[in-house]
């Protein structure tokens, strides 16, 4: 099953293709966007708390392949 972001999901972390993970809680939005953007064809993993999670410790990872939007 393909995982995708849904309305209300909270992004709490960004992991670069090289494995470098950054916790983005309380980070400015412009810095988060810079972490997510990158060269076309590379991957970035977003760690999210699903909107329907009843417990904030429940997370899932969503892998995105960067491309022109």
């Amino acid at each position: 099953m393909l995982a995708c972001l849904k309305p209300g999901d909270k992004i709490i972390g960004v992991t670069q293709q090289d494995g470098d993970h950054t916790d983005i809680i309380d980070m400015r939005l412009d810095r988060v966007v810079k972490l997510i953007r990158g060269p076309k064809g590379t991957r970035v993993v977003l760690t999210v708390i699903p909107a329907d999670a009843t417990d904030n410790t429940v997370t899932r990872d969503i892998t995105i392949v960067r491309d022109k939007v």
Side-chain angles (χ1 to χ4, degrees):
M1 183 172 139
L2 182 64
C4 60
L5 282 174
K6 296 179 182 167
D9 285 354
K10 297 175 186 169
I11 302 172
I12 61 168
V14 177
T15 304
Q16 302 298 324
Q17 187 164 303
D18 64 5
D20 184 28
H21 177 80
T22 304
D23 177 6
I24 63 166
I25 295 174
D26 294 328
M27 188 180 286
R28 290 177 40 107
L29 182 59
D30 60 332
R31 289 194 58 213
V32 175
V33 170
K34 286 180 183 179
L35 289 172
I36 296 172
R37 288 183 174 169
K40 181 178 178 177
T42 59
R43 296 180 187 273
V44 64
V45 178
L46 305 178
T47 302
V48 302
I49 298 173
D52 59 357
T54 57
D55 181 357
N56 283 344
T57 63
V58 175
T59 62
R60 70 172 181 213
D61 288 340
I62 299 173
T63 301
I64 296 175
V65 178
R66 295 172 172 127
D67 203 344
K68 185 174 181 180
V69 177

